[in-house]
Amino acid sequence: MEEGQKPVYFISKVLQGAELRYQQVEKVALTLIFAARRLRPYFQCHPIIVRTNQPIRQVLHKPDLAGRMMSWAIELSEYQISYEPRTAIKAQALTDFIAEMTQNPPPSAQTAETPMSAIWKLYVDGSSNAKGSGAGMIVENLDGVAVEHSLSFEFNATNNQEEYEAMIAGLIQAREMGTRHLKVFSDSQLVTFQILGEYQTKGPLMCRYLEKVKELIQSFESVEVEHIRRAENTRADILAKLASTKSPGNNRSVIQHNMPNPCIVMSISESNPEVAKETWITPIVNYLAERVLPLDQKEAIKIVRRNAHLCMVHGRLYKRGLSTPFLKCLNPGDVQYVLEEIHEGINGHHMGGHSLAKKALRAGFYWPTMERDAHEHVKKCEKCQKFADVHKAPPEEMTSITSPWPFYKWGIDILGPFPMAAGRVQWLIVVINYFTKWVEAEPLATITSQRARKLFWRSIVYRFGILAEVITDNGTQFTDTKFQELMSSL
């Protein structure tokens, strides 16, 4: 059989409406989605290799995607897809011809250097106003492929702090995309020249930011930092203003994220390793990173089984599922904060324990005892206990009163006072039989023990015979000595 690449099937699609305004990375993802839907039997039966010069794998595997990119990533997760850089034309010429890429034809000869190893450009900027603060980052390569990131800050920050936060977030974004050579552009003269060492850094906060930036720069092969004018950094400035002015959820950038705390805030375990405690995450991380298992065989088997749906992404532990994006695994110290924000935060409405656990799962978090912790949190919420619609059940189990035969057990009570009627009667004495529900009633002007005895003799004993039990509410008429003697004599 002759070896080599051969066309089997081709499909095409014309972009219409809002699709024409998609970014380049979104267009590539849409192309892959369209191919997977049209060629579903091929995608289900065979492993698929996607050869492209776009950073589609890095974008689709980010845990903080939003909007249509998240739904596309979930849809593609069911297939066995691997991504490779495009090293030769071959069958790619057919797809280029179909897409009618007449303005940018493929080069006649390919070099050994792939686009991922070329120099990428990073534009960063920060913005602050009365409504909030944010940052915008753009990672762009020589072919014009750009990945935009809009970052909204949930904390108060100065202008210099925002510029540093934007710089750090941009470097992390470029590192996650696999960039090795980077050129950074910023319109902040102070931040740029502090990184270059031409300006002196004052204050412990700025020194910590500078140390963080230099630590991230070490992860690249080469990084150049350059100061540009604000007019040359327009797009990053627009992204920063969008993050600081628009309400959450309205920003339709490819990647959008909210930062609750500054990036230099260290956790307890980082600032003081002696205080760090071993959690449920620790043995799993030790196994995934160093292949170290506990000495207990049962615990080792549990960790190996749990490892099937857990993975490490840039030093963090995530849980993957069939129909959900990557879920961030939380330490016990962060669980209470997450439950409080979801249950009674700015968008919380004090839902029940089951709904609280499911909402935390949809928010992108996971820990083994989600249901139990959510129910315990709801039980400890003061407002839920005070204003909840609780069923008013009796404190003790209620027992029904039975009667073995007719006219065996009677109940007696006095009702009133009612509006006075003829004969100055305003009270009503009622006797009911528990078996037949027969009712005897007589209006009274006065309620005395003598009138109660008279009613019993005339209406009950004379008509129905000797009774066995009488149930009263222990009123004064029924606890009288003469009434009790009558009952005893019967």
Side-chain angles (χ1 to χ4, degrees), residues 220-252:
F220 299 90
E221 294 183 8
S222 64
V223 175
E224 297 181 17
V225 182
E226 183 178 340
H227 174 256
I228 58 176
R229 295 178 300 173
R230 184 176 295 273
E232 301 175 4
N233 201 24
T234 307
R235 183 57 184 166
D237 182 56
I238 292 175
L239 288 174
K241 289 180 179 178
L242 282 174
S244 61
T245 56
K246 297 189 73 174
S247 58
N250 291 338
N251 191 356
R252 292 300 181 185

Side-chain angles (χ1 to χ4, degrees), residues 56-255:
I56 187 66
R57 180 181 64 84
Q58 289 83 354
V59 174
L60 289 177
H61 283 72
K62 286 188 66 63
D64 54 353
L65 287 176
R68 51 181 169 266
M69 291 295 287
M70 175 181 288
S71 62
W72 292 347
I74 294 174
E75 184 175 347
L76 292 174
S77 63
E78 66 172 301
Y79 307 119
Q80 186 179 354
I81 301 177
S82 59
Y83 302 87
E84 294 182 358
R86 216 172 68 188
T87 57
I89 299 178
K90 295 184 180 179
Q92 185 66 31
L94 179 60
T95 59
D96 292 340
F97 176 76
I98 295 175
E100 296 182 355
M101 298 178 65
T102 56
Q103 298 181 358
N104 297 312
S108 58
Q110 295 287 343
T111 60
E113 184 182 32
T114 62
M116 292 305 296
S117 63
I119 298 178
W120 286 68
K121 297 180 181 180
L122 172 63
Y123 296 88
V124 297
D125 193 14
S127 175
S128 178
N129 50 59
K131 293 185 179 180
S133 56
M137 296 81 66
I138 302 176
V139 184
E140 185 178 10
N141 68 351
L142 299 178
D143 296 332
V145 178
V147 178
E148 299 178 350
H149 194 153
S150 183
L151 188 63
S152 178
F153 301 146
E154 299 179 359
F155 55 90
N156 297 325
T158 62
N159 292 332
N160 294 333
Q161 188 177 356
E162 292 168 1
E163 296 289 345
Y164 265 115
E165 292 283 354
M167 179 73 69
I168 293 172
L171 291 174
I172 295 175
Q173 174 77 17
R175 184 182 63 180
E176 291 178 354
M177 295 178 59
T179 306
R180 297 195 297 268
H181 305 279
L182 187 64
K183 196 169 184 178
V184 185
F185 299 94
S186 174
D187 56 14
S188 175
Q189 183 176 359
L190 176 67
V191 173
T192 302
F193 288 109
Q194 282 183 351
I195 296 174
L196 295 176
E198 299 182 13
Y199 283 3
Q200 183 180 2
T201 306
K202 297 182 180 180
L205 185 63
M206 292 295 104
C207 290
R208 293 178 62 185
Y209 272 115
L210 182 59
E211 292 176 1
K212 182 71 174 179
V213 172
K214 291 184 177 180
E215 179 184 348
L216 291 173
I217 290 177
Q218 298 298 325
S219 60
F220 299 90
E221 294 183 8
S222 64
V223 175
E224 297 181 17
V225 182
E226 183 178 340
H227 174 256
I228 58 176
R229 295 178 300 173
R230 184 176 295 273
E232 301 175 4
N233 201 24
T234 307
R235 183 57 184 166
D237 182 56
I238 292 175
L239 288 174
K241 289 180 179 178
L242 282 174
S244 61
T245 56
K246 297 189 73 174
S247 58
N250 291 338
N251 191 356
R252 292 300 181 185
S253 297
V254 175
I255 302 173

Side-chain angles (χ1 to χ4, degrees), residues 410-424:
W410 294 80
I412 185 172
D413 198 3
I414 297 177
L415 306 180
F418 298 103
M420 188 172 296
R424 303 183 62 84

Side-chain angles (χ1 to χ4, degrees), residues 8-23:
V8 176
Y9 196 87
F10 76 91
I11 56 176
S12 62
K13 174 180 172 59
V14 178
L15 300 182
Q16 298 177 354
E19 296 175 346
L20 296 172
R21 297 187 293 273
Y22 283 3
Q23 300 180 19

Side-chain angles (χ1 to χ4, degrees), residues 232-302:
E232 301 175 4
N233 201 24
T234 307
R235 183 57 184 166
D237 182 56
I238 292 175
L239 288 174
K241 289 180 179 178
L242 282 174
S244 61
T245 56
K246 297 189 73 174
S247 58
N250 291 338
N251 191 356
R252 292 300 181 185
S253 297
V254 175
I255 302 173
Q256 49 187 338
H257 184 60
N258 293 332
M259 181 177 290
N261 299 307
C263 63
I264 60 173
V265 175
M266 296 184 298
S267 62
I268 298 177
S269 59
E270 293 174 341
S271 58
N272 187 6
E274 297 180 357
V275 186
K277 296 182 180 179
E278 184 172 331
T279 62
W280 71 275
I281 295 180
T282 306
I284 300 176
V285 172
N286 292 339
Y287 173 71
L288 293 176
E290 304 175 2
R291 296 296 173 179
V292 177
L293 289 172
L295 298 178
D296 189 357
Q297 186 177 1
K298 293 184 179 179
E299 292 295 329
I301 294 175
K302 289 182 181 179

Side-chain angles (χ1 to χ4, degrees), residues 258-365:
N258 293 332
M259 181 177 290
N261 299 307
C263 63
I264 60 173
V265 175
M266 296 184 298
S267 62
I268 298 177
S269 59
E270 293 174 341
S271 58
N272 187 6
E274 297 180 357
V275 186
K277 296 182 180 179
E278 184 172 331
T279 62
W280 71 275
I281 295 180
T282 306
I284 300 176
V285 172
N286 292 339
Y287 173 71
L288 293 176
E290 304 175 2
R291 296 296 173 179
V292 177
L293 289 172
L295 298 178
D296 189 357
Q297 186 177 1
K298 293 184 179 179
E299 292 295 329
I301 294 175
K302 289 182 181 179
I303 292 174
V304 173
R305 289 178 178 174
R306 187 177 293 177
N307 177 51
H309 52 83
L310 295 174
C311 62
M312 297 288 295
V313 180
H314 301 295
R316 292 184 178 273
L317 186 64
Y318 290 88
K319 179 182 182 293
R320 54 173 175 251
L322 296 177
S323 60
T324 58
F326 281 7
L327 304 176
K328 183 180 179 181
C329 298
L330 295 182
N331 280 311
D334 301 327
V335 169
Q336 188 65 24
Y337 172 76
V338 171
L339 292 178
E340 289 178 357
E341 286 296 321
I342 297 177
H343 185 65
E344 58 245 21
I346 188 171
N347 292 322
H349 52 278
H350 293 271
M351 71 286 289
H354 182 73
S355 300
L356 178 60
K358 296 302 181 183
K359 192 170 183 179
L361 196 68
R362 292 194 301 270
F365 300 106

